[in-house]
Amino acid sequence: MDRPAVIVKTAAELRVPPHWRDYQRERQQDPWAAARRDLQLDPQGPMNMAVLAVDRHLQQGLADKTALRFVARNAPALDMSYGTLAQQTNRLANVLQALGVAPGDHLFVLAGRLPALYVAVLGALKAGVVVTPLFSAFGPEPIATRMQLGQARLLVTTDILYRQKIRALRAQLPTLQHVLLVNPDGQLTTEPDTLDWTTVMAGASDHFTPAPTTADSPALLHFTSGTTGTPKGALHVHGAAITHYATGRHALDLHPQDRFWCTADPGWVTGTSYGILAPLLHGVTSLVDREEFDAERWYTLLQDERISVWYTAPTAIRLLMKAGPELAQRHQFPDLRFIASVGEPLNPEAVWWGKEVLGLPIHDNWWQTETGGIMVANTPAFDIKPGAMGRPLPGIDAYLVTQLQAPGEAPRVRVLDAPEAQGELALRAGWPSMFRGYLNNEARYQQCFADGLYLTGDLVRRDAEGYYWFVGRLDDVIKSAGHLIGPFEVESVLMEHPAVAEAGVIGKPDALVGETVKAFVSLKNGYLPDEALRSDLQAHARKRLGAAVAPKEIAFLPTLPRTRSGKIMRRLLKARELGLPEGDTSTLEAGA
Ligand code: ATP
Ligand code: MG
């Protein structure tokens, strides 16, 4: 379908005046200084992200405001106020102190999206303890690897998860001293060598003097998604809250009256930076859904919970698209005013789907576990170019570079200035939420920097108006007969076809042209994977992309292999295609 290249912001869409409108002017301000002012921070003074996110609001009369609203299928909704969250997190911090846990020790949390998870993360941060939330659907192997690497001293988990996944592992976790068991049914836990959460919390004081952390104190250890290989542990500091706050304003446009829903699990960095910290820093009410994805349920939640700002992921959007527009049309979203997405490239088709089916376009934004917060975004402040990941946020200086060094040498780069340049995305190092190390891998950390720039490993194009377009991960780019082909462009064109639900594109080695383009496609309900459809898809791709870029081969799969966080794993499609070992698949979702 022919659609305009730009979605112009209209007054109807901007139901609430956004915090900012003038991109150039805002970029001349210092957003970090502004955030410090709003958060009443002394740059040289103490800083603790949990105190800023929770306790700070008590002085501003927000003690009774709902901070987190938990919903589940078979339980009544539970509203936790800022006041209760402050008390509960103080209790946990006291419990940790009484156990002899010291600032800098590592605590892991393995739980579904229960209130205790949020209390554990924020309470541990108050005590200066470094926190890692783990995705609760991980099996024992990925849990053990991460806890060993992170030298976990404490674990907060549930009774059931402990029995299913941890008990048998304890001998392999020599650093693990304390396990706190939450029993959502309210019963006392009786597992040997564990402590009962309810009991220890009941005996702890509501008052706590936060650990003397500063902006540079370690706060969170997050593991990457493992899309390109073994997940890396990225270490973040308390100062990251400055970015969380500033981007909550610039990229998500959070206002105090918002009802916000970030659908990511806190086991991934999005679920912590934007599912816990950013909304709390802004004093808004966040929804936490304890259930897994379900299209009907999600539309009902958006409607009944009167969500105004929604932050989700392409994988969820693709599933909603697959479920068909009728389901969406049975609901109404009068409160919804801003939708954003992160995690993978968002095909233009999905941006338009938002506009046509939900009444609002979807704002793609880009960041990584390593960046700790949103760096490049489509924002309420400027028009959207569907398919672009947006423009660098205020405070973020982005460059396109090409790496010059031979393998093994320290990185050196050349900055590419040409209009319409294409190169590796690099960011001027030093924004507040930049990671401060890869766990146990200083050499790899150093390899990420050159000439004061952080090298992201993603290939992008920048257009004349300063919008950035994702081309592909450096490792995924296809080289065919002298052309550089970005898988995202090919996938987006395939997604335009009404039959296609998902597409993953790889380069297949070829003696003549280097690599040929091969596409894997899963179909929407009601379409059959037959030769007629294959030819139709091929013809559509050739017409839109030209014969050199269109896939030479198209294979149908019921679903595409994904990481646990929902990203399409091109490396696995390629490994399967070539009959190679699949490498570390510990983060894999059961896929095709
Ligand atoms: P690993 O580093 O272990 O291979 P990962 O890179 O997928 O896994 P994350 O930090 O969760 O781990 O993901 C960040 C990456 O996701 C980015 O570098 C980019 O490749 C991709 N990504 C995130 N958001 C977008 C977006 N809006 N458009 C395109 N790609 C995106
Ligand atoms: Mg990565």
Side-chain angles (χ1 to χ4, degrees):
M1 195 189 299
D2 278 342
R3 286 161 164 156
V6 179
I7 299 181
V8 177
K9 293 277 167 174
T10 61
E13 185 190 321
L14 300 174
R15 281 174 226 162
V16 172
H19 284 297
W20 61 304
R21 283 310 304 268
D22 187 334
Y23 183 71
Q24 299 307 345
R25 196 171 145 257
E26 195 77 11
R27 281 189 62 78
Q28 282 155 19
Q29 319 291 318
D30 178 346
W32 317 131
R36 283 194 195 94
R37 259 196 317 277
D38 285 1
L39 298 169
Q40 297 166 323
L41 275 173
D42 165 2
Q44 263 71 53
M47 173 170 182
N48 185 289
M49 45 168 69
V51 173
L52 292 172
V54 183
D55 301 49
R56 189 173 59 89
H57 301 300
L58 272 46
Q59 283 110 50
Q60 288 157 4
L62 294 188
D64 294 332
K65 179 170 182 176
T66 299
L68 299 167
R69 178 170 167 79
F70 297 89
V71 292
R73 220 183 272 281
N74 295 317
L78 187 146
D79 288 327
M80 190 183 266
S81 68
Y82 278 93
T84 307
L85 195 54
Q87 279 176 356
Q88 293 282 313
T89 49
N90 282 347
R91 282 180 183 233
L92 184 78
N94 280 312
V95 168
L96 298 180
Q97 218 168 47
L99 289 173
V101 176
D105 281 346
H106 286 202
L107 175 145
F108 279 60
V109 189
L110 178 78
R113 292 178 287 279
L114 296 169
L117 181 156
Y118 295 77
V119 170
V121 169
L122 293 161
L125 288 170
K126 275 189 184 176
V129 168
V130 181
V131 191
T132 304
L134 284 180
F135 188 45
S136 64
F138 277 154
E141 188 51 42
I143 294 172
T145 317
R146 287 164 178 76
M147 287 181 67
Q148 284 158 353
L149 198 63
Q151 305 210 324
R153 185 155 177 219
L154 285 109
L155 172 69
V156 175
T157 186
T158 64
D159 214 30
I160 298 174
L161 288 172
Y162 181 77
R163 265 182 272 123
Q164 286 176 341
K165 304 182 181 181
I166 306 289
R167 193 163 57 185
L169 283 180
R170 273 198 77 167
Q172 296 173 44
L173 301 170
T175 61
L176 185 62
Q177 284 180 339
H178 306 288
V179 177
L180 285 175
L181 286 194
V182 180
N183 193 332
D185 299 333
Q187 283 168 4
L188 235 62
T189 50
T190 51
E191 286 289 333
D193 300 325
T194 67
L195 296 163
D196 180 67
W197 169 277
T198 315
T199 312
V200 294
M201 288 289 276
S205 160
D206 282 346
H207 300 280
F208 182 76
T209 307
T213 47
T214 67
D216 290 322
S217 304
L220 291 156
L221 171 68
H222 278 296
F223 288 88
T224 60
S225 294
T227 312
T228 52
T230 309
K232 305 165 283 262
L235 194 64
H236 289 277
V237 292
H238 279 271
I242 308 270
T243 303
H244 300 147
Y245 179 84
T247 54
R249 189 172 181 279
H250 282 127
L252 300 177
D253 198 42
L254 293 174
H255 286 66
Q257 67 274 26
D258 276 319
R259 293 174 64 86
F260 175 66
W261 184 20
C262 168
T263 60
D265 187 272
W268 309 111
V269 70
T270 308
T272 302
S273 293
Y274 296 97
I276 306 181
L277 294 161
L280 295 181
L281 286 162
H282 279 270
V284 308
T285 297
S286 266
L287 181 74
V288 180
D289 181 24
R290 291 181 38 200
E291 309 297 340
E292 293 317 312
F293 175 86
D294 174 274
E296 162 79 54
R297 178 175 174 80
W298 279 31
Y299 286 133
T300 306
L301 285 176
L302 283 172
Q303 171 185 280
D304 293 357
E305 295 295 332
R306 295 180 288 113
I307 300 302
S308 57
V309 178
W310 186 36
Y311 194 19
T312 189
T315 180
I317 294 164
R318 285 192 299 261
L319 287 171
L320 292 174
M321 290 167 76
K322 192 173 177 178
E326 302 77 22
L327 193 59
Q329 281 149 7
R330 269 186 250 138
H331 300 79
Q332 287 188 330
F333 314 106
D335 298 285
L336 196 57
R337 67 175 184 84
F338 189 74
I339 311 176
S341 157
V342 73
E344 281 187 286
L346 188 68
N347 314 93
E349 206 53 34
V351 180
W352 283 107
W353 172 86
K355 181 139 177 81
E356 286 156 10
V357 176
L358 301 177
L360 293 168
I362 296 168
H363 297 73
D364 186 20
N365 60 50
W366 177 97
W367 58 292
Q368 304 176 312
T369 307
E370 290 87 342
T371 70
I374 304 169
M375 300 282 109
V376 178
N378 288 286
T379 76
F382 47 83
D383 300 335
I384 300 176
K385 295 189 184 181
M389 58 199 215
R391 298 200 267 188
L393 288 179
I396 301 303
D397 291 323
Y399 301 83
L400 302 190
V401 302
T402 176
Q403 295 203 30
L404 301 171
Q405 82 283 7
E409 280 180 19
R412 282 184 306 126
V413 295
R414 184 158 59 83
V415 173
L416 309 171
D417 285 324
E420 297 289 333
Q422 181 167 302
E424 181 176 3
L425 175 63
L427 307 171
R428 166 81 47 214
W431 68 94
S433 66
M434 189 179 86
F435 73 135
R436 301 301 167 92
Y438 281 130
L439 205 61
N440 298 348
N441 204 341
E442 181 59 21
R444 180 140 193 196
Y445 182 67
Q446 294 302 336
Q447 286 289 318
C448 294
F449 295 90
D451 305 328
L453 301 180
Y454 164 67
L455 310 173
T456 66
D458 283 342
L459 192 67
V460 300
R461 182 170 63 78
R462 182 181 50 218
D463 72 17
E465 285 169 299
Y467 283 71
Y468 287 65
W469 300 75
F470 186 77
V471 176
R473 292 169 188 259
L474 280 181
D475 300 347
D476 285 340
V477 176
I478 302 163
K479 296 170 197 85
S480 183
H483 300 282
L484 266 190
I485 300 171
F488 175 52
E489 186 183 15
V490 183
E491 288 160 10
S492 288
V493 162
L494 291 169
M495 290 283 293
E496 289 170 3
H497 193 283
V500 176
E502 283 188 308
V505 166
I506 62 160
K508 186 174 165 181
D510 179 275
L512 206 60
V513 293
E515 286 181 303
T516 57
V517 179
K518 172 151 189 178
F520 295 85
V521 162
S522 77
L523 300 178
K524 288 192 187 142
N525 299 337
Y527 288 92
L528 284 179
D530 57 18
E531 279 314 310
L533 181 56
R534 198 193 311 272
S535 310
D536 200 44
L537 278 173
Q538 238 145 8
H540 164 75
R542 243 181 259 126
K543 187 166 142 232
R544 293 278 287 110
L545 295 164
V549 177
K552 294 276 173 301
E553 280 178 63
I554 297 180
F556 295 112
L557 291 176
T559 57
L560 300 187
R562 300 200 200 107
T563 62
R564 277 287 188 185
S565 57
K567 299 174 196 231
I568 295 172
M569 292 256 276
R570 291 171 196 81
R571 80 169 150 97
L572 207 79
L573 289 169
K574 192 157 179 169
R576 287 180 187 175
E577 180 68 26
L578 304 179
L580 297 173
E582 294 182 351
D584 176 3
T585 54
S586 63
T587 55
L588 272 186
E589 190 78 80

